[in-house]
Each structure stands twice: as structure tokens, then as C-alpha cells.
Amino acid sequence: EFHAVDIEIDFHNVSVNILDGDSDDLIQQVFLQAGATADWTQRNIRLAGPNAGRKIRIEFRLITDTVEPNVGFYIDDVIVTPN
């Protein structure tokens, strides 16, 4: 994962959310960050808890505006494995 967005987390952020597989309702936000990574960064995000045993969707979300444009949010090689 690589991201570069403004540091104001309320207006510019990258997040990973777990959504209900049928309704798309938010179950849990498992990652939220603003600012920038210096380079590609490996992230391991645990999806346990309220997500165990249910059908889910994983949402990768970038929130920003046009006031402080930056390069954005890049992801690569997503792997989902059982615990």
C-alpha cells in the first residue's frame, strides 16, 4: 500500500472498511490514516471479531477534495487468508 494525501484526516484519508456482504452496511473500519507513506508499505489487517463467519465485502476508500491534491491511494497484491 502506498498513499499520499493531505494530513487533515477529517477531509483527506485512506481507509479499509468491512461491509456486510448483502446490505453493504458498514460493519467495521479496520484501517484509517492520513498523510503519506515514504514508500510501498506492507499492511496486515486482522478481519476477526464481528466479521467472523459472515459474508463480507472489503472496501478500500480514498476521501479527498481538490484543495490539497496529492497522488492518492495505491494498493497491490491483496491476499485474504484464514487465521
Side-chain angles (χ1 to χ4, degrees):
E1 170 265 327
F2 172 83
H3 68 266
V5 296
D6 192 87
I7 60 171
E8 292 184 83
I9 201 162
D10 291 334
F11 303 103
H12 312 270
N13 64 68
V14 295
S15 64
V16 179
N17 301 311
I18 304 302
L19 308 177
D20 182 88
D22 294 318
S23 68
D24 284 340
D25 290 338
L26 177 67
I27 299 170
Q28 182 180 19
Q29 185 172 69
V30 293
F31 177 76
L32 175 67
Q33 196 166 24
T37 55
D39 203 349
W40 283 95
T41 303
Q42 182 174 331
R43 300 265 180 223
N44 294 307
I45 300 172
R46 189 166 172 80
L47 303 179
N51 312 308
R54 67 192 301 180
K55 182 178 163 185
I56 62 168
R57 293 171 52 101
I58 302 172
E59 174 186 65
F60 300 90
R61 175 173 266 194
L62 166 68
I63 298 197
T64 191
D65 59 26
T66 58
V67 176
E68 295 289 334
N70 273 303
V71 298
F73 186 27
Y74 298 88
I75 58 172
D76 193 16
D77 298 333
V78 174
I79 300 169
V80 178
T81 59
N83 291 335

